[in-house]
Amino acid sequence: NIMNALTSQDLDLAFHALSHATRRALLDRLADGEARVTDLAAGFDLALNTVSKHVRTLEEARLVRRRVAGREHWVSADPYA
């Protein structure tokens, strides 16, 4: 059971990450598959740096995974990382 494997701190990070509408929208977009951070940012009226910070919060909560290929940063949903 995944809930038994999560610590209280894990849950706090996940709920914090999910508490913001932009981060929930990013996760919704990533349900369609991996995307570059720049492509994710294009769907929002936010600076790339702001979207990147939201992605970082999702990463810290282990809800997404980032891979770097050259200068491009790719993000994928990974709720069980």
Side-chain angles (χ1 to χ4, degrees), residues 41-47 51:
F44 296 91
D45 188 25
L46 299 170
V51 172

Side-chain angles (χ1 to χ4, degrees), residues 34-51:
E34 185 178 50
R36 294 181 313 151
V37 173
T38 52
D39 294 334
L40 289 173
F44 296 91
D45 188 25
L46 299 170
L48 177 61
N49 190 43
T50 302
V51 172

Side-chain angles (χ1 to χ4, degrees), residues 15-64:
F15 285 121
H16 168 72
L18 295 171
S19 70
H20 198 284
T22 299
R23 291 190 288 265
R24 291 190 306 271
L26 288 168
L27 279 175
D28 187 49
R29 163 53 188 89
L30 291 170
D32 294 333
E34 185 178 50
R36 294 181 313 151
V37 173
T38 52
D39 294 334
L40 289 173
F44 296 91
D45 188 25
L46 299 170
L48 177 61
N49 190 43
T50 302
V51 172
S52 190
K53 287 179 182 180
H54 282 300
V55 169
R56 194 170 314 120
T57 299
L58 291 168
E59 281 181 284
E60 290 169 359
R62 297 184 345 188
L63 296 172
V64 300

